[in-house]
Amino acid sequence: MISTGTRINICNYNQLPSMIGQVFVIDHEEIAVFRLSNGKVRAIENKSPHPKGGKLADGLISGEFIYCPIHDWKISLVDGKVQAPDRGLVKTFPIEIDGEDVFLIV
């Protein structure tokens, strides 16, 4: 098990396609990583909080939100909150960029 606060080099910034989710498995947990149109990188658990789930890496990006590909729930990539009228929360992960290296903080 990886200790809290661990910094993991997951990829080179230029390897992340814009607006398309990339899945990384860290300590048996799927994490979807996105490079947004503004250049920021966001990371979120790869599971919709909808009771029937859905893989968020397959969702559509709009600004700093992801839309669940199955149930169309709008979820913030900043804080993981599902937008009203739906309810729920998805775990988010801090990202650090050092030069061209992208680090996930777990």
Side-chain angles (χ1 to χ4, degrees):
M1 178 171 216
I2 298 172
S3 62
T4 302
T6 300
R7 187 176 180 216
I8 301 170
N9 187 336
I10 56 171
C11 67
N12 181 288
Y13 180 83
N14 294 318
Q15 292 175 325
L16 286 174
S18 184
M19 310 292 286
I20 298 173
Q22 296 292 298
V23 178
F24 296 88
V25 178
I26 308 293
D27 203 24
H28 306 290
E29 183 173 15
E30 284 191 15
I31 300 170
V33 178
F34 303 91
R35 185 170 85 179
L36 307 180
S37 61
N38 63 9
K40 292 181 182 177
V41 178
R42 300 288 187 201
I44 194 166
E45 71 179 300
N46 191 30
K47 184 177 182 298
S48 172
H50 187 280
K52 294 184 180 178
K55 299 288 186 176
L56 295 178
D58 298 330
L60 296 175
I61 300 289
S62 177
E64 293 211 359
F65 293 92
I66 180 105
Y67 287 85
C68 173
I70 297 174
H71 305 99
D72 203 35
W73 281 15
K74 183 179 180 182
I75 303 165
S76 170
L77 291 168
V78 176
D79 61 15
K81 292 181 182 175
V82 175
Q83 306 301 292
D86 302 306
R87 296 184 4 219
L89 184 66
V90 175
K91 185 176 178 183
T92 59
F93 299 87
I95 290 284
E96 290 180 6
I97 299 175
D98 186 359
E100 294 297 317
D101 293 321
V102 178
F103 292 89
L104 179 74
I105 311 302
V106 294

